[in-house]
Amino acid sequence: QVQLVESGGGSVQAGGSLRLSCAASGYTLSSHCMRWYRQAPGKEREEVARISIVGLTVYADSVKGRFTISRDNAKNTLYLQMNSLKPEDTAMYYCAATAGSSCAEVSRYWGQGTQVTVSS
C-alpha cells in the first residue's frame, strides 16, 4: 500500500524559509515522477515543482529561484525547500506521485497535505 506523508509546514513571516518533507512507504519514489502541488482557499490547485526519475526538475514561474525540489533516495523522502516566502505562497501543500515512471503521467498517489501560512 502506497503512503505519502507530508510534514514541515507551519507559519512563517514573509522572507522566511520552510522545508517540506514527503516520506514514502510501500513505494520507491526514485522510480517515479514526484510532484509538489499547492492549493489556496478559493483557488485552483497548482503544480509547484516536479522531479523526474533522472533528477530533472521543473518549477512553476511563481516559485522559480525560491523553491528547490529534491529527494533523498536512501531515506525514500521528497523535499521542497522554500526560501524567500511570500504571503501568496500560503496554501495547503501536497506531494504526489505517478504510478509509472514518466512525468507525462498524471499523479496517482497523494499525501494528506501540510499547511503553509506566510504572514506579511
Side-chain angles (χ1 to χ4, degrees):
Q1 183 180 358
V2 176
Q3 271 197 315
L4 301 174
V5 180
E6 301 98 333
S7 61
S11 296
V12 65
Q13 287 193 329
S17 297
L18 285 173
R19 188 177 79 157
L20 306 184
S21 299
C22 173
S25 59
Y27 187 85
T28 302
L29 59 83
S30 62
S31 298
H32 303 270
C33 180
M34 301 296 298
R35 295 179 170 97
W36 285 99
Y37 289 87
R38 67 184 181 187
Q39 188 166 22
K43 294 189 176 181
E44 292 191 354
R45 186 174 63 203
E46 173 189 23
E47 179 180 328
V48 174
R50 68 173 70 165
I51 183 167
S52 75
I53 60 171
V54 295
L56 292 176
T57 57
V58 177
Y59 297 92
D61 287 343
S62 57
V63 307
K64 208 170 288 184
R66 300 188 298 121
F67 290 11
T68 303
I69 187 171
S70 64
R71 63 175 183 241
D72 184 328
N73 294 341
K75 294 182 178 180
N76 208 28
T77 299
L78 181 73
Y79 300 101
L80 185 68
Q81 178 67 44
M82 306 186 295
N83 299 328
S84 302
L85 282 161
K86 304 176 181 179
E88 51 263 43
D89 295 319
T90 295
M92 185 71 80
Y93 284 73
Y94 301 89
C95 70
T98 56
S101 62
S102 172
C103 281
E105 301 175 36
V106 297
S107 294
R108 177 173 179 181
Y109 304 107
W110 293 79
Q112 84 288 350
T114 186
Q115 178 67 38
V116 171
T117 303
V118 184
S119 58
S120 57

